[in-house]
Amino acid sequence: MIALVDVEDRRAAAGEYVLGTLSDDDHEAFETALARDDALRAEVYAWQDRLLGLTAQAVPIEPSPALWQRVDASVGGSAGPARTIAAEPKRAPWWQRVGAWQGIGALGLAASLLLAVLLVSNLRDGMPAGPRYLALLQKPDDRTTGWIVEIAAGRTLRLTPIVAGAPVPSGRALQFWTKPKDAAGPTSLGLVRPGQPLELPVARLPGLGAEQLFEITLEPEGGSTVGRPTGPILYVCRTVQL
């Protein structure tokens, strides 16, 4: 059963409530507590604000009729011929609406939820409070999400792959870069291997803040020799603060 005594447990439970990952019993217990606990409602609002930044990176797309039919079937509705797709459903909170996440695409959605779950897990592990940032690195052409950047100020940067990605051509390498918002140019954070995570101390970064650029480019084997990206950008995004 969900515990709401410890501060970190309350914060983590609020995050899982917003994500919709609580079990039915825990969800019911949480909503009972929520009705009489102003501080707990504040935690829920805070998580909504943290995760809303993810949807700002999305390009809205119109879901296909087939997708609506699958969604309808999954919630026990009727997707038969008598149902019209244009019918206006009852509006749910933004974090529970399919349309709010559509532009991220299937992989982007998975990345968003995975990262949020990781954040909840970190809270439960007792990581100290402080500024935290994230970026979902996406392909410039179709905005498919391939990597997650998660940063805890004063601690570590974690670069986590969520797709295997295309094989790196012989004689080439993937290089990881960052550029703070007002910096004159990018700084290399080293080479990365396809499908393998990377962890760095935040002290390696030239700065840290919201809207900081992170990207992965295709460079000569051993990395760029001129101190700046020379190859095509494979994945890119800016951070949002949680």
Side-chain angles (χ1 to χ4, degrees):
M1 181 62 67
I2 191 169
L4 296 175
V5 178
D6 182 81
V7 172
E8 297 302 338
D9 285 342
R10 288 165 59 87
R11 187 174 302 161
E16 292 186 84
Y17 174 76
V18 170
L19 287 168
T21 58
L22 290 175
S23 67
D24 291 343
D25 289 343
D26 284 348
H27 186 275
E28 183 177 353
F30 187 91
E31 289 200 327
T32 299
L34 197 62
R36 59 176 184 268
D37 191 329
D38 292 340
L40 192 59
R41 285 196 294 273
E43 289 287 1
V44 168
Y45 297 149
W47 271 103
Q48 292 171 11
D49 289 342
R50 289 185 186 107
L51 299 180
L52 183 60
L54 294 174
T55 65
Q57 302 179 27
V59 177
I61 60 174
E62 184 66 25
S64 68
L67 174 60
W68 278 122
Q69 290 172 356
R70 292 199 300 274
V71 171
D72 185 70
S74 71
V75 296
S78 172
R83 173 177 168 83
T84 58
I85 299 302
E88 181 68 22
K90 180 180 178 181
R91 291 182 66 81
W94 70 264
W95 61 92
Q96 295 176 358
R97 294 202 297 267
V98 174
W101 300 93
Q102 302 250 301
I104 304 178
L107 290 176
L109 173 59
S112 303
L113 296 180
L114 170 62
L115 183 54
V117 169
L118 287 174
L119 292 173
V120 171
S121 298
N122 285 341
L123 287 172
R124 281 181 168 167
D125 290 341
M127 292 185 69
R132 300 179 68 82
Y133 302 88
L134 70 88
L136 305 181
L137 299 190
Q138 301 173 326
K139 291 182 178 180
D141 51 357
D142 62 8
R143 303 196 72 166
T144 298
T145 303
W147 301 76
I148 298 170
V149 176
E150 179 190 5
I151 311 167
R155 292 179 62 88
T156 57
L157 175 152
R158 296 186 183 93
L159 176 67
T160 305
I162 63 169
V163 295
V168 177
S170 177
R172 307 298 294 273
L174 302 181
Q175 192 160 0
F176 187 35
W177 305 84
T178 188
K179 180 180 178 294
K181 188 176 180 181
D182 298 322
T187 297
S188 173
L189 297 178
L191 303 182
V192 296
R193 296 186 178 184
Q196 295 190 21
L198 177 69
E199 185 168 315
L200 300 170
V202 170
R204 283 275 307 274
L205 276 63
L208 179 60
E211 298 186 42
Q212 181 164 339
L213 182 72
F214 285 90
E215 66 182 19
I216 294 175
T217 61
L218 185 64
E219 301 293 340
E221 187 173 20
S224 171
T225 60
V226 295
R228 64 179 184 276
T230 61
I233 297 173
L234 303 182
Y235 295 95
V236 62
C237 194
R238 293 185 181 274
T239 57
V240 293
Q241 184 170 354
L242 300 175

